């Protein structure tokens, strides 16, 4: 799908500080926001942890996507206006020396709040949700340290290395990423070096229910998960020591989580925090 900018909008934001005065914390040194150019094939370039840590570029991103990057929003726990996905922007920002990936998120939050007059909040609601815990026999996923090695990218590569014998996507070396594929009624998670927070959000995305991570696991993991698409909403959580019958050709989500990952998914009703937009302009202010 192509998105066309209807106005020639170009905005530049600079942290105005007196000579010799330190920049405010968690601010980009200079940042520009403008309607996106034709998609170049890479959604994010540069920033901390890359060969170009002093500049970060977000290509062809909607406000919805920028919010997800800045606030770590869980898809099933958010209420975002539909118009936020309409117009796309390119954001180019100069990153202060020594900034971390965590700092970068805070800088992006402050930029959106400054330029779009964004105000966000959280509302707690009692709702049906799913809780993710470690199964009784322990996890079955390869584990890595939480911090990525130098040179690793968290941007899913445009070109992958084909499929393995079970139909999972093979990531090229040096990437941590997420690919969800649907083929012949089967959903496959091909995830490389992801956190349990990322896995929980992906499960929430396909199930439509909030998924709360109560595993206590703090590393990164390779996830290869396959389950029947038509069983996602209708499957019932297995009782202790049992699993629902596995349909042909793929098991239900609950059975797959336990057998393939060593985790356990249970339905519960509990208070869940939902991310809400209190105010946001449709276009950024200009300087």
């Amino acid at each position: 799908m192509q998105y066309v900018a209807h106005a020639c909008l170009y905005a530049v934001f600079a942290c105005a500080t007196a000579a010799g005065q330190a920049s405010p914390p968690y601010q980009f040194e200079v940042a520009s926001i403008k309607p996106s150019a034709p998609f170049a094939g890479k959604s994010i370039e540069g920033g901390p942890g890359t060969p170009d840590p002093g500049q970060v570029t977000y290509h062809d991103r909607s406000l919805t996507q920028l919010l997800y990057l800045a606030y770590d929003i869980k898809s099933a726990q958010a209420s975002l206006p539909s118009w936020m996905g309409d117009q796309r922007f390119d954001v180019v920002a100069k990153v202060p020396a020594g900034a971390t990936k965590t700092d970068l998120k805070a800088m992006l939050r402050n930029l959106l709040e400054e330029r779009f007059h964004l105000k966000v909040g959280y509302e707690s609601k009692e709702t049906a949700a799913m809780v993710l815990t470690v199964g009784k026999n322990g996890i079955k996923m390869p584990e890595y340290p939480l911090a990525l090695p130098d040179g690793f990218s968290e941007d899913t590569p445009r070109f992958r290395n084909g499929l393995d014998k079970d139909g999972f996507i093979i990531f090229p070396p040096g990437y941590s990423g997420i690919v969800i594929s649907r083929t012949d009624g089967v959903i496959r998670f091909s995830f490389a070096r992801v956190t349990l927070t990322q896995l929980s959000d992906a499960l929430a995305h396909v199930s439509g229910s909030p998924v709360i991570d109560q595993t206590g696991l703090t590393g990164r993991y390779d996830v290869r998960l396959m389950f029947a698409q038509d069983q996602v909403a209708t499957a019932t959580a297995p009782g202790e020591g049992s699993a629902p019958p596995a349909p042909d050709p793929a098991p239900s989500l609950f059975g797959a989580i336990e057998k393939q990952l060593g985790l356990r998914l249970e339905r519960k009703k509990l208070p869940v925090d939902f991310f809400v937009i209190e105010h946001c302009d449709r276009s950024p202010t200009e300087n």
Side-chain angles (χ1 to χ4, degrees):
M1 182 179 295
Q2 293 183 337
Y3 294 83
V4 180
H6 297 285
C8 183
L9 169 68
Y10 184 86
V12 177
F13 169 73
C15 298
T17 55
Q21 192 175 22
S23 297
Y26 306 123
Q27 299 280 355
F28 291 120
E29 293 180 1
V30 178
S32 71
I33 305 175
K34 59 183 178 180
S36 62
F39 186 43
K42 202 165 188 182
S43 57
I44 304 173
E45 289 186 282
T50 75
D52 186 14
Q55 179 171 297
V56 64
T57 302
Y58 303 92
H59 293 284
D60 196 38
R61 302 292 88 185
S62 67
L63 266 175
T64 297
Q65 291 169 319
L66 291 172
L67 283 165
Y68 271 75
L69 289 168
Y71 288 91
D72 291 325
I73 299 170
K74 294 181 179 296
S75 57
Q77 294 169 233
S79 179
L80 305 182
S82 60
W83 62 261
M84 284 189 164
D86 294 341
Q87 189 170 0
R88 322 270 295 189
F89 299 96
D90 289 342
V91 180
V92 182
K94 186 175 180 181
V95 181
T100 66
K101 290 182 179 181
T102 299
D103 296 337
L104 190 67
K105 289 179 181 288
M107 292 174 195
L108 183 57
R109 289 196 296 269
N110 286 334
L111 181 65
L112 296 174
E113 291 167 7
E114 173 75 20
R115 300 302 311 284
F116 289 90
H117 300 135
L118 175 68
K119 294 182 180 179
V120 304
Y122 291 88
E123 292 180 356
S124 181
K125 302 178 184 178
E126 186 86 10
T127 188
M130 293 192 286
V131 176
L132 190 66
T133 57
V134 176
K136 62 180 181 179
N137 295 319
I139 63 171
K140 301 177 181 179
M141 306 174 291
E143 182 176 1
Y144 306 92
L146 183 61
L148 289 172
D150 291 342
F152 256 73
S153 172
E154 290 192 86
D155 185 24
T156 300
R158 185 181 181 188
F159 301 103
R160 268 85 77 174
N161 289 2
L163 304 177
D164 66 16
K165 63 181 179 60
D166 297 314
F168 294 106
I169 289 172
I170 302 171
F171 282 83
Y175 281 93
S176 165
I178 292 175
V179 177
I180 300 174
S181 58
R182 293 172 170 86
T183 306
D184 297 330
V186 175
I187 297 178
R188 285 178 175 85
F189 283 8
S190 304
F191 296 176
R193 292 182 185 257
V194 298
T195 64
L196 265 293
T197 297
Q198 292 170 299
L199 173 59
S200 298
D201 195 30
L203 291 171
H205 177 73
V206 299
S207 68
S209 297
V211 176
I212 310 303
D213 172 25
Q214 293 185 356
T215 63
L217 300 175
T218 57
R220 289 178 176 268
Y221 302 86
D222 289 344
V223 174
R224 299 292 182 269
L225 180 66
M226 176 179 66
F227 52 94
Q229 184 170 351
D230 62 2
Q231 293 281 318
V232 172
T234 58
T236 56
E240 183 65 33
S242 64
D248 187 17
S252 72
L253 174 61
F254 290 97
I257 285 282
E258 187 162 8
K259 290 184 177 181
Q260 299 170 28
L261 305 184
L263 301 175
R264 183 175 176 81
L265 201 58
E266 297 178 277
R267 294 190 189 277
K268 291 187 177 181
K269 194 168 184 178
L270 67 168
V272 175
D273 289 333
F274 285 80
F275 182 92
V276 296
I277 301 297
E278 297 176 357
H279 176 81
C280 185
D281 294 346
R282 290 176 182 258
S283 300
T285 57
E286 298 183 65
N287 275 356

